[in-house]
C-alpha cells in the first residue's frame, strides 16, 4: 500500500535539516574544532592557516544554513521557534548550552585570560596587518565580535529581505561595527594614535568624559583634541538633535555596537524577552539606577580633579573602579551577551545601558518618534508582542488604536515587520497628539451611566453614547512608561 506524507498544516512546527544543512553542520564542527584545539597550542605555529581556515569553515557553514531563508517565500517565517531546542531558551538544552558557553567565555576573558593565550596567537597575523602590534585578548575579542555581527548580519539580510527598513538598518550596524568599532581604532593604533571609538559616547563609553581620559587625549596631539571635541559634540549636541527627529533608534538600532550584536547574533533569541509588567518595573528602577551611578561617578571625578583630590580623596577612584567592574564588565559583558539564550537579546539595553536610558528619556519627552497603530486592522495575533526585544506589549496598544510612545522602544521595527496586517508604522511626525488615548472602544472602556431618567428608559440596554465614555487626556497617557 502506498503511503502519502500529507499534512494540512499551514506552518511547520519543526524545521527539519536538509542533507545540505547536515553537511554544513559537519563543516561548522570542523571550523570550531580548528579554533578550539588552538587553546591547547595545537597548530599555533601556523596562525594564519588556523585563523583563516577556521573562519572559512564557520562562514561557509553559516551561509549554507542561511539558504533556508532564501528557499522560503519572502516574509517573516518564525515557524517552530518555541519548539526549537536552541530558540526555546531556558526550556531547550541547546539554549542552556549556548548560555553557559557565552557566559563562560566572558568569565574566562575577564578573569582567566591566561587560558586564552594560545588562542590569541592565531589572531597575530591579522593584528600585525591592521595594527602593526602583537595580538592581545581585546583584539581577539573585537575580531570575534565583529565577525559575529557580519556573519549573523547576512542572516538578517536574508531573513528580512522583503523589508527595506530592516535591510538598511542591518547594513548600517554592520558598517558601524566594521568601520567605526574595528578598523578605525585598529588603524589609529597602527599610527600611534589613541585607540578611540568614534561610534561610542558618554555615558555608554563612560570614561570618555572623565578627566583622566580627557587629559590623556588632549596630551596626545591634535587628533586627541579632536576626539575630545567629537565626544562632547556627539553627546551634548548630536544626541539630543538626532533623538528629537528620529527617536533613540538612530543610535540603538543603527549605530551602537551593543545594539548591532543584539540585532544580529541576538535576533534568534528576541522572543525570549520578558514582556510582563513586573519585568518592566525592574527595568525602570535598574536602568535609571545605572544612569545615576555613572552621573555621580563622573561628577565625583571632576570634583576631585578640580580640588586636586583634596575633597574626596580615594572615594571617586573607588566609584570609578566599581562602576567599571559592575557595569562595564559584569553587566555589559557577562550578563548582557551571555544571557541572550535565557532572557532575550537586549538584556543589557533594557536593564543596564545608561545611553539607552538617557536616549529613552529624550525619546519620551522631546522626540517626534512614535509607532502608530491602525487598531481596526489588528487581529490580536500577538506576533508584535512576542518579537519585541524590549519586552513591550505592542498588541495592547494596537488593540486600542493607541500610539506607542515608550522610552524603552529602540525602533528596531521588527514588530511592524512581523505584523501580518500592516497595523504598525514607525513615524517621525509632529509632536502634537503624539500621546493619544485609545481610539477604539474596548470592553474595559464601556461604563454604565447612572442617570435615573436615562436608566429607567433604557433598562437592559448598553449605554453607547460616545460622550458617556470617559476620555483620557494627553497628560493621563504621558504617565505611562
Ligand atoms: S516596540 Fe517594535 S520597534 Fe519598538 S523595540 Fe519593540 S519591536 Fe522594536
Ligand atoms: S502583529 Fe499586528 S495583527 Fe498581530 S497583534 Fe500585533 S498589531 Fe495586531
Amino acid at each position: 500500500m502506498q503511503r502519502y506524507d500529507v499534512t494540512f498544516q499551514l506552518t511547520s512546527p519543526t524545521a527539519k535539516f536538509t542533507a545540505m544543512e547536515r553537511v554544513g553542520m559537519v563543516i561548522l564542527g570542523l571550523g570550531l574544532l580548528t579554533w578550539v584545539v588552538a587553546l591547547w597550542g595545537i597548530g599555533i605555529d601556523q596562525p594564519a592557516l588556523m585563523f583563516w581556515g577556521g573562519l572559512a569553515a564557520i562562514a561557509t557553514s553559516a551561509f549554507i544554513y542561511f539558504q533556508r531563508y532564501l528557499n522560503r517565500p519572502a516574509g517573516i517565517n518564525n515557524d517552530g521557534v518555541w519548539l526549537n531546542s536552541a530558540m526555546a531558551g531556558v526550556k531547550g538544552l541547546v539554549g542552556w548550552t549556548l548560555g553557559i558557553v557565552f557566559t563562560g567565555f566572558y568569565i574566562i576573558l575577564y578573569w582567566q585570560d591566561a587560558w586564552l593565550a594560545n588562542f590569541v596567537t592565531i589572531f597575530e597575523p591579522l593584528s600585525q596587518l591592521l595594527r602593526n602590534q602583537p595580538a592581545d585578548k581585546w583584539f581577539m575579542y573585537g575580531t570575534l565580535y565583529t565577525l559575529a555581527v557580519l556573519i549573523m548580519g547576512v542572516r538578517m539580510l536574508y531573513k528580512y529581505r522583503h523589508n527595506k527598513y530592516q535591510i538598511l538598518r542591518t547594513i548600517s550596524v554592520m558598517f558601524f561595527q566594521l568601520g567605526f568599532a574595528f578598523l578605525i581604532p585598529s588603524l589609529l593604533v597602527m599610527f600611534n594614535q589613541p585607540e578611540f571609538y568614534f561610534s561610542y559616547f558618554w555615558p555608554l563609553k563612560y570614561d570618555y568624559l572623565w578627566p583622566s581620559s580627557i587629559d590623556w587625549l588632549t596630551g596626545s596631539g591634535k587628533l586627541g583634541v579632536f576626539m575630545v571635541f567629537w565626544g562632547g559634540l556627539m553627546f551634548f549636541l548630536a544626541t539630543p538633535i538626532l533623538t528629537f527627529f528620529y527617536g533613540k533608534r538612530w543610535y540603538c538600532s543603527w549605530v551602537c555596537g551593543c545594539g548591532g550584536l543584539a540585532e544580529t547574533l541576538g535576533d534568534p533569541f528576541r522572543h525570549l524577552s520578558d514582556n510582563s509588567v513586573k519585568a518592566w518595573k525592574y527595568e525602570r528602577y535598574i536602568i535609571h539606577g545605572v544612569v545615576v551611578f555613572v552621573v555621580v561617578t563622573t561628577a565625583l571625578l571632576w570634583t576631585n580633579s578640580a580640588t586636586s583630590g583634596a575633597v574626596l580623596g580615594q572615594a571617586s577612584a573607588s566609584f570609578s573602579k566599581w562602576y567599571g567592574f559592575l557595569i562595564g564588565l559584569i553587566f555589559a559583558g557577562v550578563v548582557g551577551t551571555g544571557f541572550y539564550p535565557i532572557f532575550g537579546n537586549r538584556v543589557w539595553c533594557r536593564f543596564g545601558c545608561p545611553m539607552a536610558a538617557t536616549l529613552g528619556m529624550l525619546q519620551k519627552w522631546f522626540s517626534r518618534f512614535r509607532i502608530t497603530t491602525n487598531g481596526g486592522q489588528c487581529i490580536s495575533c500577538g506576533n508584535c508582542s512576542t518579537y519585541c526585544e524590549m519586552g513591550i506589549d505592542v498588541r495592547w496598544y494596537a488593540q486600542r488604536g493607541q500610539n506607542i510612545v515608550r522610552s524603552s522602544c529602540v525602533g528596531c521595527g521588527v514588530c511592524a515587520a512581523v505584523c501580518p496586517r500592516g497595523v504598525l508604522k514607525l513615524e517621525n511626525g509632529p509632536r502634537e497628539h503624539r500621546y493619544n488615548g485609545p481610539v477604539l472602544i474596548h470592553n474595559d472602556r464601556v461604563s454604565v451611566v447612572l442617570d435615573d431618567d436615562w436608566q429607567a428608559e433604557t433598562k437592559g440596554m448598553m449605554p453607547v453614547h460616545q460622550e458617556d465614555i470617559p476620555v483620557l487626556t494627553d497628560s493621563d497617557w504621558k504617565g505611562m512608561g
Side-chain angles (χ1 to χ4, degrees):
M1 192 175 73
Q2 191 171 1
R3 292 172 67 97
Y4 293 95
D5 186 12
V6 176
T7 174
F8 293 104
Q9 286 174 278
L10 295 177
T11 59
S12 162
T14 50
K16 292 183 184 135
F17 291 116
T18 64
M20 197 61 201
E21 285 170 356
R22 284 170 206 270
V23 173
M25 291 288 187
V26 174
I27 298 173
L28 174 68
L30 291 173
L32 289 176
L33 196 64
T34 308
W35 282 5
V36 169
V37 295
L39 284 168
W40 288 275
I42 299 169
I44 58 170
D45 51 338
Q46 294 286 340
L49 186 65
M50 294 292 278
F51 176 75
W52 292 111
L55 177 60
I58 292 167
T60 304
S61 65
F63 294 131
I64 289 174
Y65 188 78
F66 298 161
Q67 294 305 312
R68 64 169 45 200
Y69 294 106
L70 294 184
N71 294 333
R72 295 172 179 168
I76 310 298
N77 186 326
N78 284 316
D79 290 0
V81 163
W82 289 105
L83 301 174
N84 183 309
S85 181
M87 308 320 164
V90 286
K91 298 190 200 87
L93 179 65
V94 182
W96 265 113
T97 309
L98 280 176
I100 290 167
V101 168
F102 285 168
T103 312
F105 172 74
Y106 276 95
I107 290 170
I108 292 170
L109 182 72
Y110 291 137
W111 292 289
Q112 287 294 342
D113 52 352
W115 294 2
L116 297 170
N118 285 326
F119 183 56
V120 169
T121 309
I122 69 171
F123 292 79
E124 187 70 20
L126 187 64
S127 180
Q128 290 294 347
L129 179 72
L130 293 178
R131 314 190 310 160
N132 200 21
Q133 294 278 329
D136 56 30
K137 68 173 183 176
W138 294 119
F139 179 76
M140 175 271 293
Y141 175 64
T143 308
L144 291 180
Y145 196 107
T146 305
L147 288 173
V149 171
L150 295 180
I151 292 175
M152 291 300 279
V154 172
R155 172 188 170 278
M156 285 290 286
L157 293 173
Y158 282 9
K159 182 176 177 186
Y160 294 93
R161 67 187 186 281
H162 66 289
N163 189 306
K164 202 185 284 179
Y165 183 75
Q166 297 303 328
I167 292 171
L168 289 174
R169 196 173 69 82
T170 304
I171 290 173
S172 174
V173 292
M174 292 165 80
F175 169 78
F176 278 103
Q177 177 58 38
L178 179 63
F180 284 63
F182 184 64
L183 291 179
I184 292 176
S186 297
L187 292 175
L188 287 170
V189 172
M190 177 185 268
F191 293 106
N192 293 319
Q193 296 297 325
E195 188 174 356
F196 190 82
Y197 295 80
F198 286 93
S199 52
Y200 289 109
F201 326 115
W202 188 91
L204 175 55
K205 195 76 176 131
Y206 47 87
D207 55 344
Y208 274 7
L209 279 190
W210 287 0
S212 55
S213 302
I214 290 180
D215 285 348
W216 168 62
L217 287 171
T218 50
S220 59
K222 284 182 185 158
L223 191 54
V225 174
F226 173 74
M227 288 166 180
V228 173
F229 171 73
W230 173 264
L233 182 79
M234 290 310 293
F235 177 71
F236 290 109
L237 205 62
T239 295
I241 292 175
L242 289 171
T243 310
F244 172 78
F245 283 108
Y246 305 111
K248 70 197 268 190
R249 58 178 164 158
W250 77 269
Y251 190 72
C252 298
S253 288
W254 287 71
V255 173
C256 177
C258 309
L261 193 71
E263 294 296 333
T264 50
L265 182 68
D267 179 69
F269 309 108
R270 61 170 55 246
H271 58 289
L272 300 173
S273 300
D274 186 345
N275 61 10
S276 67
V277 174
K278 196 170 161 193
W280 174 52
K281 284 184 180 158
Y282 281 123
E283 177 186 325
R284 288 192 303 167
Y285 286 118
I286 298 171
I287 199 168
H288 294 116
V290 174
V291 176
V292 172
F293 199 175
V294 73
V295 169
V296 169
T297 304
T298 306
L300 281 177
L301 288 170
W302 276 103
T303 309
N304 221 25
S305 167
T307 59
S308 306
V311 179
L312 298 160
Q314 284 303 306
S316 59
S318 307
F319 249 81
S320 63
K321 203 169 139 199
W322 277 104
Y323 185 89
F325 177 73
L326 291 175
I327 310 299
L329 257 80
I330 296 189
F331 214 148
V334 179
V335 177
T337 309
F339 285 16
Y340 277 5
I342 300 170
F343 294 128
N345 59 330
R346 286 273 191 176
V347 178
W348 161 246
C349 315
R350 279 184 77 182
F351 296 94
C353 177
M355 185 76 181
T358 310
L359 292 167
M361 287 186 257
L362 290 169
Q363 172 161 283
K364 185 175 171 186
W365 301 108
F366 300 112
S367 174
R368 292 158 54 91
F369 174 71
R370 87 291 309 272
I371 301 176
T372 56
T373 59
N374 179 2
Q377 293 294 316
C378 177
I379 53 170
S380 298
C381 67
N383 270 355
C384 49
S385 297
T386 300
Y387 293 100
C388 175
E389 58 194 353
M390 298 304 283
I392 297 169
D393 190 358
V394 181
R395 176 175 58 177
W396 188 91
Y397 294 87
Q399 286 171 330
R400 291 160 175 75
Q402 187 176 340
N403 288 351
I404 303 169
V405 184
R406 289 283 295 262
S407 53
S408 56
C409 173
V410 289
C412 66
V414 169
C415 54
V418 297
C419 174
R421 301 283 291 169
V423 172
L424 305 157
K425 198 169 169 206
L426 281 67
E427 290 184 22
N428 310 304
R431 295 191 60 242
E432 292 73 39
H433 309 301
R434 201 164 64 110
Y435 287 91
N436 66 339
V439 296
L440 301 176
I441 299 174
H442 191 263
N443 54 9
D444 63 7
R445 299 283 321 282
V446 177
S447 49
V448 176
V449 182
L450 295 174
D451 177 290
D452 288 346
D453 296 341
W454 189 87
Q455 212 173 18
E457 284 170 25
T458 59
K459 198 166 185 184
M461 291 171 63
M462 289 291 287
V464 290
H465 297 293
Q466 181 72 37
E467 61 272 21
D468 293 334
I469 297 169
V471 175
L472 301 183
T473 63
D474 277 7
S475 57
D476 292 320
W477 294 104
K478 275 182 186 166
M480 300 191 64

